[in-house]
Amino acid sequence: MNTSAIISHLDNLNFDNRFVRELPADAETINNRRQVLGACYSRVLPTPVSKPQLVAYAREVAELLDLTPEHCESDDFAQVFTGNRLAKGMDAYASCYGGHQFGHWAGQLGDGRAINLGEVINRRGEHWVLQLKGAGATPYSRNADGLAVLRSSVREFLCSEAMYHLGVPTTRALSLTLTGEEIIRDMFYNGNPQAEPGAVVCRVAPSFTRFGSFQIFAARGDTDLLKKLVDYTIRTDFPHLGEPSVAVYLEWFAEVCRRTAEMIVHWQRVGFVHGVMNTDNMSILGLTIDYGPYGWLEDFDFNWTPNTTDARDRRYRFGNQPSIAFWNLGQLANAIYPLIGQVEPLQQAVNTYKQAYEQGWQAMIAAKLGLHEYNPATDDELTTELATLMQLVETDMTIFYRHLANIETGVEISDDLLMEPLLSAIYVPEQLTADYKTRLCLWLRGYSKRIQSDGTSDTLRRKRMNAVNPKYVLRNYLAQLAIDKAEAGDFSMVNELLELLRHPYDEQPDQERFAEKRPDWARQRAGCSMLSCSS
């Protein structure tokens, strides 16, 4: 396809741009760092770069935008989605929002390295916001440059799509491009900055509105703008609730609570740890957003956090994610209180999170264990003991649950044979003491009896378990290996992992190496264990 035809297609995307049309803009048009008052966004252009180059694109996301492989592999695509050119109809802007960071109010934050290109309506009438991450400074960049490096961009691109295919609510990623620029970053904030290749990810979602989008106006006492944004959000993203009113505000907030609970249940199911659950990183749609120092549980540990900034207090550790989400919803309730004027109905709405999470967690853990449904009378003790066992010995969560499906129930076999399917999940075999083996086998026999009482055949149980317990996740060391290759100019592993993670529940016999537990060399290596917020 020739260049003019490609450009014509991108320029004919159907942009609606309702956000900038219906909400107030920053009156200042100069792109300098400042406090932005009385506005939901600031218009700003991406920073041009020297040599846009496509690294990878997600074909499923391209299809959402009615883009073909020919469009995505064109030079114009790289130019547009690295920020060198705005296609016709794009109206670029950065959003204003605030947030609590590590439990403390941080004031104005905003899109410091994200620039929204516009809002596309596809042929099916679906509404998608296109956003470039790493495309340059905005009024909200504070002391930063608004840019992103390849290592963080690879991680965001791959994880966005990996989460989608796992069935986890998430923003999506259309493309990953190089800028041709070198960016200086101090990866560990230890006084050792280095030059790294710059990159841009095009993120895609129905909306990028966050809890902090409402908090900033409440904190400033700007109730009129708070109401405008809430009303806009309900009409645009929650139209099924009807026209905004106090009653609808409460219904809307309760739905946000339920969606958030659903998202957190999925995180716990697959062993995903967000790492920086600040209120500005919480989507109003209950989508996983802002893939910074995230990580996947390898050895099961409720106390693990992937964020070096959180290493001391571990506020955002795996086991704390459900309660942090509840705390964050409390801050959102405080923000919208001026529109409600009553505490009790807001508290009742917040409590729907607890109910939804508990119900969702029970259904999720029952599915992970292959049960028809969760029975607290028997399963509370069963699940508590399993969590204890998995932490007493360093146990790979993904492998353990996947291989638990392979044990045979209702048969009398020795302890060694009973445990055999699970041994590949153990990182340090020397930890398997005689007492531990006895305790594990006692649990396995109790689990076998529970399965039999459930009336579930092993065949059906395996099918249920393999549908919710992935074989393949974006292990931290796999992402780092892909980054290492990409930084050397070899993008093959980025695309290989993208293809692998499209089918995380399938066996994929020729890809077994990607289902193995973390190698010893990756235990403490940078990027394979904990990460900073540097980008």
Side-chain angles (χ1 to χ4, degrees):
M1 181 175 292
N2 63 45
T3 303
S4 62
I6 293 166
I7 291 176
S8 173
H9 184 89
L10 291 181
D11 286 337
N12 283 322
L13 289 174
N14 183 16
F15 283 93
D16 178 47
N17 301 331
R18 186 174 176 181
F19 187 89
V20 297
R21 188 173 70 247
E22 298 191 12
L23 293 169
D26 180 5
E28 177 63 74
T29 57
I30 298 174
N31 187 6
N32 62 323
R33 279 71 157 181
R34 62 185 182 276
Q35 290 292 302
V36 175
L37 303 176
C40 290
Y41 63 92
S42 304
R43 283 190 167 88
V44 59
L45 296 174
T47 300
V49 300
S50 62
K51 191 179 179 182
Q53 179 184 0
L54 181 67
V55 173
Y57 70 93
R59 62 175 181 264
E60 299 90 346
V61 184
E63 289 168 2
L64 292 176
L65 307 175
D66 305 323
L67 296 173
T68 69
E70 286 179 295
H71 301 135
C72 296
E73 292 163 15
S74 70
D75 176 68
D76 190 60
F77 180 92
Q79 296 288 339
V80 169
F81 291 107
T82 311
N84 269 11
R85 182 178 89 82
L86 293 185
K88 183 180 178 182
M90 290 181 174
D91 193 353
Y93 67 94
S95 296
C96 179
Y97 51 83
H100 281 83
Q101 296 192 326
F102 296 95
H104 303 285
W105 177 244
Q108 177 181 293
L109 297 168
D111 284 333
R113 59 190 174 102
I115 296 176
N116 301 276
L117 296 176
E119 305 161 50
V120 170
I121 298 178
N122 67 13
R123 293 180 191 141
R124 295 172 293 284
E126 297 167 338
H127 186 274
W128 297 102
V129 181
L130 309 183
Q131 183 182 88
L132 299 186
K133 184 172 180 178
T138 77
Y140 311 99
S141 296
R142 292 173 286 174
N143 296 320
D145 56 19
L147 304 175
V149 296
L150 182 59
R151 60 180 160 84
S152 64
S153 301
V154 166
R155 288 171 53 80
E156 173 131 18
F157 174 76
L158 286 176
C159 198
S160 299
E161 291 307 287
M163 292 282 272
Y164 171 77
H165 292 293
L166 283 165
V168 182
T170 180
T171 57
R172 304 293 299 276
L174 170 64
S175 59
L176 168 62
T177 52
L178 285 170
T179 65
E181 315 283 349
E182 291 290 305
I183 300 172
I184 303 299
R185 286 290 184 268
D186 187 347
M187 183 174 178
F188 296 106
Y189 306 129
N190 60 3
N192 293 297
Q194 294 182 353
E196 300 186 48
V200 174
V201 172
C202 180
R203 308 197 290 190
V204 179
S207 168
F208 286 95
T209 303
R210 303 131 187 281
F211 291 10
S213 303
F214 306 95
Q215 286 184 281
I216 188 65
F217 302 126
R220 290 172 170 171
D222 194 340
T223 305
D224 288 344
L225 192 45
L226 172 66
K227 184 177 186 302
K228 284 182 182 177
L229 181 59
V230 171
D231 289 356
Y232 169 86
T233 300
I234 291 171
R235 290 185 177 120
T236 303
D237 298 312
F238 299 80
H240 56 282
L241 296 179
E243 273 299 295
S245 65
V246 171
V248 169
Y249 294 153
L250 288 167
E251 289 182 41
W252 166 68
F253 179 58
E255 183 166 333
V256 172
C257 292
R258 288 190 292 271
R259 291 191 187 196
T260 302
E262 179 185 359
M263 176 186 73
I264 300 297
V265 167
H266 278 293
W267 288 5
Q268 303 303 101
R269 172 175 67 85
V270 299
F272 174 80
V273 190
H274 187 280
V276 59
M277 288 179 67
N278 297 328
T279 56
D280 59 297
N281 292 336
M282 297 291 292
S283 162
I284 205 70
L285 296 179
L287 304 175
T288 314
I289 193 171
D290 290 338
Y291 291 95
Y294 69 83
W296 295 84
L297 272 193
E298 287 170 332
D299 51 297
F300 186 86
D301 182 358
F302 283 122
N303 289 317
W304 185 72
T305 174
N307 191 347
T308 56
T309 309
D310 198 29
R312 186 188 69 178
D313 296 331
R314 298 184 182 269
R315 175 181 175 85
Y316 298 141
R317 64 191 182 272
F318 175 65
N320 212 31
Q321 292 185 135
S323 60
I324 289 296
F326 179 74
W327 189 90
N328 288 346
L329 287 163
Q331 307 318 304
L332 178 58
N334 290 338
I336 65 172
Y337 171 79
L339 306 182
I340 309 295
Q342 303 174 68
V343 172
E344 185 176 350
L346 276 172
Q347 186 60 58
Q348 290 175 351
V350 171
N351 287 338
T352 64
Y353 168 85
K354 289 184 175 180
Q355 298 163 4
Y357 179 80
E358 182 63 23
Q359 292 171 358
W361 183 88
Q362 289 185 357
M364 175 271 288
I365 202 67
K368 284 185 76 68
L369 293 173
L371 300 171
H372 177 65
E373 62 182 2
Y374 191 91
N375 181 355
T378 55
D379 301 339
D380 283 351
E381 182 178 352
L382 191 74
T383 55
T384 299
E385 175 67 357
L386 176 58
T388 301
L389 285 166
M390 292 177 71
Q391 291 186 97
L392 285 174
V393 166
E394 198 173 340
T395 305
D396 189 286
M397 174 181 170
T398 301
I399 295 175
F400 181 90
Y401 275 107
R402 187 73 179 193
H403 288 193
L404 183 62
N406 295 330
I407 71 165
E408 293 186 45
T409 63
V411 295
E412 289 297 324
I413 54 176
S414 68
D415 284 359
D416 287 342
L417 286 176
L418 184 61
M419 290 189 304
E420 196 277 332
L422 304 175
L423 294 182
S424 61
I426 306 301
Y427 279 97
V428 186
E430 293 76 17
Q431 293 177 342
L432 293 174
T433 64
D435 287 346
Y436 181 86
K437 290 179 179 179
T438 298
R439 187 172 175 180
L440 175 61
C441 288
L442 184 64
W443 183 88
L444 287 170
R445 289 192 166 88
Y447 168 65
S448 179
K449 289 179 181 178
R450 175 67 180 90
I451 292 295
Q452 290 177 279
S453 71
D454 199 49
T456 303
S457 69
D458 278 347
T459 300
L460 177 58
R461 175 177 62 89
R462 290 185 184 114
K463 183 177 180 180
R464 285 177 181 167
M465 294 175 73
N466 288 345
V468 297
N469 295 320
K471 179 159 186 174
Y472 302 99
V473 295
L474 185 60
R475 292 177 175 273
N476 310 315
Y477 83 91
L478 292 176
Q480 188 58 47
L481 288 176
I483 291 166
D484 291 344
K485 286 190 172 186
E487 289 180 336
D490 179 357
F491 309 139
S492 60
M493 192 169 181
V494 173
N495 285 284
E496 187 176 20
L497 289 177
L498 181 62
E499 183 60 35
L500 172 86
L501 297 167
R502 285 187 168 108
H503 308 283
Y505 301 100
D506 296 350
E507 283 298 320
Q508 304 188 57
D510 58 338
Q511 304 288 7
E512 285 290 328
R513 67 191 185 282
F514 293 128
E516 296 172 354
K517 59 179 179 281
R518 177 202 62 224
D520 284 342
W521 61 260
R523 182 179 290 271
Q524 299 298 332
R525 187 189 160 185
C528 301
S529 52
M530 298 181 75
L531 303 103
S532 72
C533 293
S534 71
S535 61

